[in-house]
Amino acid sequence: MALITFSGYPCSGKSQRAAELQKFLSSKLQDPTIESPFCSVEVISDDTLGLQRSVYDESRSEKPARGALFTAVQRALALDKIVILDSLNYIKGFRYQLYCAARESKCRVCTVYVVAKPDLCREWNDNRQDGPKYTPETLENLFMRYEEPSSMVRWDAPLFTVLWTDEGLQNDSIWEAITKGNIKPPNSGTLNVAKAPSDALQALEQTTTAMVSAIMAERTAGQSMGGPVSLTLNGELQVTVALPERHVTLSELQRMKRQFVTIHRKAITLGTTEKGTVDWEERSIADKFARYLEENVRQ
């Protein structure tokens, strides 16, 4: 899985370079002597999505156009596919958004920066015969707003720059980047948050309350004032908690219970990104509360 993002001035030759790269990559995939995890190459562009050049005339039409490009990329990302995004991609925030989507899909990324002088872009736009043109006002506006890619930022790296005078792309280097480059783990901010079951708050309250009552009952009936106390909850659940060698009052246990419930309520209501499986079963809550009491009840 790989995402190759093209960026450059309007009418700078991005589509021509993207077609060259698609042809090179397709030939690589068809070569029986080359082992590759990919099966296909897909190009996503304004033209493939039916986006007119006029969408860039105003921000209110450009924003949904970028949304359509982003959605198309998300849908296209697959384990056995190389996705080439052939569009302006002139906003670094949008390139970062694409980078995060690629990380979430665990695919390799690279950026191809197609460079051409503004005068050349104006000339090529005026002489364009293969599709719609940009209006002169939109063209100048896009020149002014363009945010150049940088190899120093992670969402543009690795960055391959191709000038209008270059005969071809750095095809071999791009191939190596998308087949051997590092696959970065998803950003924690993009991970799906594990949610607790709907009855988790009720289970938390009931289990901790039952433990406080069981501790007081055992301490009242027992001969020892401290040490490990074996508790039986709901007639079958066995929990052991080690308490200090002194009389622990009901008010003290209730205070510990309130603190424990408050700490864990946020994790239940908002979710948690802790490693491992989030377990809000009675056994897990009881064990956690027992450890909490052992660590926080004064000796």
Side-chain angles (χ1 to χ4, degrees), residues 92 95 99 110-111 148-151 153-159:
K92 61 183 178 182
R95 296 197 298 270
Y99 166 80
C110 71
T111 303
E148 184 176 324
S150 170
S151 60
V153 297
R154 61 188 183 279
W155 56 86
D156 288 332
L159 178 64

Side-chain angles (χ1 to χ4, degrees), residues 141-187:
N141 189 24
L142 291 171
F143 288 158
M144 184 172 58
R145 292 160 53 196
Y146 186 79
E147 296 176 333
E148 184 176 324
S150 170
S151 60
M152 301 300 292
V153 297
R154 61 188 183 279
W155 56 86
D156 288 332
L159 178 64
F160 301 95
T161 301
V162 55
L163 303 178
W164 72 95
T165 55
D166 292 343
E167 293 185 1
L169 294 163
Q170 304 169 48
N171 289 326
D172 292 331
S173 297
I174 294 174
W175 174 257
E176 185 171 351
I178 63 174
T179 55
K180 299 179 181 179
N182 294 329
I183 300 178
K184 296 184 179 180
N187 191 308

Side-chain angles (χ1 to χ4, degrees), residues 71-88:
T71 300
V73 169
Q74 282 187 305
R75 291 175 177 173
L77 290 175
L79 291 174
D80 59 351
K81 185 185 294 185
I82 302 172
V83 178
I84 298 175
L85 179 57
D86 170 26
S87 186
L88 294 176

